[in-house]
């Protein structure tokens, strides 16, 4: 079994709290002056002179500009949106309420503005945990946005959540996003809205596939190509499952699977083997080959041999097991290379 995905058709902030500053000054009041109990504490009595330390606290209220800066760091929302949220009467410059306001109104507004806009760029995220793996493709409008930390973090959150679940195979993305949660316990649909608010682009979770190892002798491994800065996501990725078929393969499976995943990204096979190619696809290819030989006056048995040879080349182009391994030395056929290592592609 293998999974492959490519990103495009063309290829948290911490709340900042102000803290009280403790200051102290030494006073020597004259006899008539008596400090209040709340403001002063006697130190000692020497020659009828009493010295005091007076403590006081200062908690300077943050300016609007400071609050706007903090809110931007926490949400990634534009400056004017943050200023508007803070100045709303029901928020009254409260950072927590401002965050809630942005989620309710800012995200909805941003989503409505970007809805329908073409998204051709993006990233692919992969997560492998034990006997489960996921591969997720998320699209954005521009490559600049897809390379941002906000976007790549969102993609990885989805891949992590997918692997942690119980679903296998193709996923109902809408249902998954409405129920699964990110690492902070927030529903992924809300995390998506937060990402749209911060990036201001149309973001779409385009595809998602989850696989589970078919046996306890199997190994899952992946490869991510063209990684975004400071990210585990990239422009293309693949996940491969290899099953150990002999003792010789037990120590080679993981490395072989990683190499095969690299091959999958480069060679882009569509099917695992010839047997997995749909019948209609095979018949269509044979029809095309027959049309090419129309009028050649070749005997039927010769035409049959020619078509068989052409179909072998066809399978080599679209089936993983029939391709020449692009990473192994000598480029042997994938099925033969795996067999020689005591492994089998599942």
């Amino acid at each position: 079994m293998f999974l492959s995905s490519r990103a495009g058709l063309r290829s948290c902030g911490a709340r900042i709290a102000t803290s009280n500053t403790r200051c102290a000054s030494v006073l020597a009041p004259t006899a008539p002056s008596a400090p209040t109990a709340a403001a002063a504490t006697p130190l000692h009595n020497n020659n009828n002179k009493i010295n005091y330390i007076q403590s006081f606290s200062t908690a300077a209220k943050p300016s609007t500009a400071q609050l706007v800066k903090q809110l931007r760091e926490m949400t990634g929302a534009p400056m004017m949106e943050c200023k508007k949220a803070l100045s709303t009467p029901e928020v009254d410059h409260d950072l927590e309420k401002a965050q809630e306001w942005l989620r309710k109104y800012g995200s909805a507004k941003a989503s409505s503005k970007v809805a329908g806009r073409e998204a051709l760029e993006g990233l692919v995220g992969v997560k492998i945990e034990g006997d489960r793996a996921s591969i997720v493709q998320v699209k954005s409008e521009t490559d600049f946005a897809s390379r941002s930390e906000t976007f790549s973090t969102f993609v990885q959150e989805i891949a992590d959540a997918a692997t942690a679940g119980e679903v296998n195979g193709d996923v109902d993305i809408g249902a998954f996003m409405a129920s699964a949660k990110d690492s902070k316990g927030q529903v992924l649909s809300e995390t998506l809205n937060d990402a749209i608010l911060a990036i201001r682009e149309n973001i779409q979770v385009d595809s998602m596939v989850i696989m589970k190892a078919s046996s306890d002798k199997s190994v899952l491994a992946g490869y991510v190509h063209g990684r975004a800065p400071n990210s585990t996501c990239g422009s293309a990725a693949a996940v491969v499952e290899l099953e150990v078929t002999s003792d010789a393969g037990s120590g080679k499976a993981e490395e072989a699977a990683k190499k095969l995943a690299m091959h999958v990204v480069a060679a882009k096979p569509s099917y695992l083997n010839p047997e997995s190619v749909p019948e209609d696809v095979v018949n269509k290819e044979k029809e095309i080959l027959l049309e090419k030989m129309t009028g050649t006056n070749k005997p039927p048995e010769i035409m049959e041999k020619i078509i068989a040879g052409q179909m072998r080349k066809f399978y080599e182009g679209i089936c993983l097991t029939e391709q020449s391994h692009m990473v192994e030395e000598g480029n042997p056929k994938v099925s033969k290379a795996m067999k020689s290592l005591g492994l089998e592609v599942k």
Side-chain angles (χ1 to χ4, degrees):
M1 183 186 298
F2 71 95
L3 303 176
S4 177
S5 184
R6 314 187 83 76
L9 297 182
R10 292 198 297 265
S11 15
C12 298
R15 180 176 302 166
I16 302 173
T18 58
S19 60
N20 293 336
T21 304
R22 303 294 295 180
C23 303
S25 62
V26 177
L27 303 178
T30 58
S33 300
T36 62
T41 303
L43 287 181
H44 57 81
N45 191 331
N46 183 22
N47 297 326
N48 297 321
K49 291 181 180 180
I50 301 176
N51 294 328
Y52 296 84
I53 288 181
Q54 182 174 1
S55 299
F56 60 93
S57 63
T58 59
K61 187 177 181 180
S63 66
T64 299
Q66 290 174 320
L67 289 172
V68 170
K69 181 181 179 182
Q70 292 178 33
L71 188 57
R72 288 195 70 188
E73 292 173 349
M74 295 162 74
T75 64
M79 182 179 68
M80 295 308 295
E81 285 288 321
C82 292
K83 190 174 182 180
K84 183 178 180 181
L86 288 164
S87 61
T88 303
E90 62 265 30
V91 173
D92 192 26
H93 296 83
D94 184 286
L95 284 174
E96 187 172 343
K97 291 180 179 179
Q99 283 184 282
E100 294 176 2
W101 188 94
L102 284 171
R103 283 182 176 170
K104 289 181 180 179
Y105 304 105
S107 298
K109 182 179 178 181
S111 298
S112 65
K113 282 186 176 182
V114 304
R117 297 200 315 220
E118 194 172 38
L120 299 177
E121 301 294 339
L123 289 176
V124 178
V126 169
K127 179 67 174 182
I128 300 174
E129 191 70 40
D131 64 348
R132 290 176 60 80
S134 67
I135 186 165
V136 178
Q137 180 184 13
V138 183
K139 290 185 176 181
S140 62
E141 296 175 41
T142 65
D143 179 68
F144 177 79
S146 70
R147 295 281 156 175
S148 68
E149 185 175 354
T150 300
F151 187 85
S152 61
T153 299
F154 171 66
V155 177
Q156 195 59 54
E157 286 278 10
I158 298 176
D160 292 351
T163 303
E166 297 296 329
V167 180
N168 295 319
D170 292 328
V171 181
D172 183 328
I173 296 176
F176 175 81
M177 294 294 290
S179 60
K181 297 182 179 181
D182 63 17
S183 58
K184 296 179 180 179
Q186 178 174 261
V187 176
L188 284 175
S189 58
E190 295 181 5
T191 309
L192 170 60
N193 289 334
D194 289 347
I196 293 174
L197 176 63
I199 299 173
R200 315 299 276 192
E201 284 195 9
N202 185 16
I203 300 175
Q204 301 174 0
V205 182
D206 190 64
S207 63
M208 183 188 308
V209 180
I210 305 170
M211 63 188 288
K212 189 177 187 304
S214 57
S215 78
D216 56 3
K217 295 182 180 180
S218 292
V219 171
L220 299 176
Y223 169 70
V224 178
H225 180 74
R227 292 194 178 193
N230 304 314
S231 172
T232 56
C233 306
S235 57
V239 176
V240 169
E241 178 186 2
L242 292 181
E243 185 177 74
V244 178
T245 57
S246 70
D247 293 339
S250 59
K252 306 172 184 177
E254 188 170 351
E255 183 63 25
K258 288 180 180 178
K259 288 184 177 181
L260 190 56
M262 293 174 68
H263 166 87
V264 170
V265 170
K268 310 177 188 66
S270 300
Y271 305 96
L272 177 60
N273 50 40
E275 293 75 26
S276 63
V277 182
E279 187 177 355
D280 60 331
V281 174
V282 174
N283 292 336
K284 183 65 176 178
E285 184 64 21
K286 288 181 177 179
E287 287 177 11
I288 294 173
L289 293 173
L290 282 171
E291 288 180 6
K292 286 182 179 180
M293 291 188 291
T294 300
T296 60
N297 297 319
K298 288 182 172 37
E301 60 273 15
I302 299 299
M303 293 180 64
E304 187 175 341
K305 289 181 179 180
I306 293 174
I307 290 176
Q310 292 295 318
M311 288 304 294
R312 280 195 296 271
K313 290 183 178 180
F314 173 68
Y315 290 135
E316 287 173 1
I318 65 172
C319 297
L320 175 59
T321 59
E322 307 307 299
Q323 294 178 330
S324 297
H325 202 312
M326 300 176 69
V327 182
E328 289 290 353
E329 186 177 352
N331 307 122
K333 183 184 289 190
V334 169
S335 58
K336 291 182 178 180
M338 295 303 105
K339 186 176 181 179
S340 67
L341 294 173
L343 303 168
E344 182 182 357
V345 187
K346 301 299 287 183

